[in-house]
Amino acid sequence: MAPEALTNARRRLRRPAAALCLIAIGLSLAPFAAIAARQAHPPQTPHGARPHFPEPRPVPYPRREWPLEIGGSQYAPLAWTDIAGWSEDDHLLAYKAFRISCQSIAGQGKSPADPKALGTSLREPCRAAKALDIADGAKARAFFEAHFLPLQISRLGEDAGFVTGYYEPVIEGSRTRTDVYNVPVYRRPSNLFVRGVKQGAVGLPNKGQVFRKIGRRKLVPYYDRAEIEDGAIAGRGLEICWLKDQTDLLFAQIQGSARVHLEDNSTIRINYDAHNGYPYMAVGRILIDRGIIPKEQMSMQRIREWMDQNPEGARELRRQNRSYVFFREVNLSDKDEAVGAQGVPLTPGRSIAVDKSLHVYGTPFFIEGELPIESEQSKTPFRRLMVAQDTGSAITGPARADIYYGAGADAGRVSGRFRHSMRFAILVPKSLDPAARGRKMPLPDPRPSEKIAKLFPQADALKNPKKDQKNGAKPADISA
């Protein structure tokens, strides 16, 4: 080929090559141009619409205060008009009981070490109650509505709570041992220890381990009921007084207090002071499980009747309950009501024992349902505002109450029939309004798209745990 033709051919080839280079350079710079354009002109979103790519949250997420936490419970806000019987109750009686609790609440020097859900929030309503001189039910009702909010409360997964009843027995006794009065009522032994509690403290916890010391350092579990009844601590000068039989003592221990009427017509008042560390076993439950007393007929009166008719069986039955209560003598007159765990006098029909690990003493509860008050088979409407002022080892759960019904045989007959499901409303101070607190809780992150979910499938440990175990995988811990 001639030289001139070769030169022309080369020129024709260079032009397409240069064009291709320019195209390649343009494509490589396109992403950077797009980024610059987005930075100069950010995309506009409609007012109030969530951007497609939200700003990342700081990690870890900021801590927020939960609206209200009561262990193992579920609760829902109520209107006062939603509470059956609220407007018909005698709020003045409940107000007086609440003011009695406020005497103890106002005297608290500092916040408790591990505050419950209500913490010290009752101080504000107590200050308001102290400043008021209310003498009629309408004003008392207005007080509660002005300072509290009602929440329906129950154990998680249940729609109602449960109530029982208790009373203060009046029994016969003697300061000295005789042929008739030969069952000792013991005060707390000096060799009884509870870890973390001073030995001289008044009213030791009614739950947890209790020890006795052997030698200088060795601690072993304290004596159980059978060992104490057989004389393990006899002859040490621990006797407060003497009773006629072990059934009287058992009932006083179950109730937590008693009035002992002496032969000279004077009275000794005794209150719970300590226990021996063994869990309480309900003797009524044993009689039901053995088919001795039907569940629907169970009451404290039936238990006593069976024990009186079966002395040997009663001895064996008592010892199934290894728990044993020690008392202290309290300076109360016959006119005074029993003192609860809060340290204030109880009000018959208005004071309740609650789970002290969940609730604060002084908390008002409205309890509604039906109870056999008039007779064993009656369904008497019970709709009352009650105040938490006591506790008991068998009282556990967020909607569980033991209703104090007074002293004497009549109170014992009525309260001994209470074993019923009831509806509970807890009254919380307005400063703890869970709805207001809930509005401040952060929403969860957006749910991932279906495409992302398919790329990262989540294994269900409940579907085929055996397969996981065969493959050497450890089963996941599952908790409710």
Side-chain angles (χ1 to χ4, degrees), residues 443-457:
L443 294 174
D445 288 332
R447 187 174 181 177
S449 66
E450 185 177 354
K451 182 178 180 180
I452 296 297
K454 288 181 178 179
L455 290 174
F456 300 95

Side-chain angles (χ1 to χ4, degrees), residues 80 124-126 128-129 132 142-149 428-431:
W80 295 109
E124 185 177 339
C126 279
L132 296 173
F143 167 82
F144 286 110
E145 292 179 354
H147 292 89
F148 292 91
L149 294 170
V428 300
K430 286 191 173 181
S431 61

Side-chain angles (χ1 to χ4, degrees), residues 44-51:
Q44 300 296 318
T45 57
H47 179 67
R50 188 185 180 95

Side-chain angles (χ1 to χ4, degrees), residues 148-219:
F148 292 91
L149 294 170
L151 303 176
Q152 180 181 339
I153 187 170
S154 61
R155 193 186 293 272
L156 195 62
E158 300 177 1
D159 60 358
F162 190 74
V163 303
T164 49
Y166 73 113
Y167 73 108
E168 187 178 24
V170 178
I171 51 185
E172 296 181 359
S174 172
R175 281 287 191 185
T176 58
R177 181 173 183 170
T178 67
D179 292 338
V180 175
Y181 301 103
N182 53 24
V183 176
V185 176
Y186 288 124
R187 61 174 51 88
R188 186 202 315 175
S190 59
N191 67 337
L192 185 147
F193 296 90
V194 178
R195 286 197 176 115
V197 180
K198 291 183 179 180
Q199 195 172 6
V202 176
L204 295 184
N206 58 5
K207 297 178 183 178
Q209 290 183 307
V210 176
F211 302 93
R212 59 187 174 91
K213 185 180 289 187
I214 296 179
R216 291 187 175 183
R217 295 186 178 181
K218 187 176 181 180
L219 295 177

Side-chain angles (χ1 to χ4, degrees), residues 24-39:
I25 293 171
L27 290 175
S28 64
L29 293 176
F32 297 99
I35 293 173
R38 280 199 299 270
Q39 291 176 347

Side-chain angles (χ1 to χ4, degrees), residues 7 22 31 34 38 64 73 174 206 220 224 244 279 282 322 329-330 354 359 377 396 398-399 412 443 452 478:
T7 302
L22 289 173
R38 280 199 299 270
R64 303 291 186 189
S73 74
S174 172
N206 58 5
V220 297
D224 68 4
K244 283 185 177 180
R322 301 178 70 187
E329 189 172 350
V330 291
V354 297
H359 297 302
Q377 305 303 322
T396 58
L443 294 174
I452 296 297
I478 302 167

Side-chain angles (χ1 to χ4, degrees), residues 4 93 311:
E4 185 178 351
L93 291 177

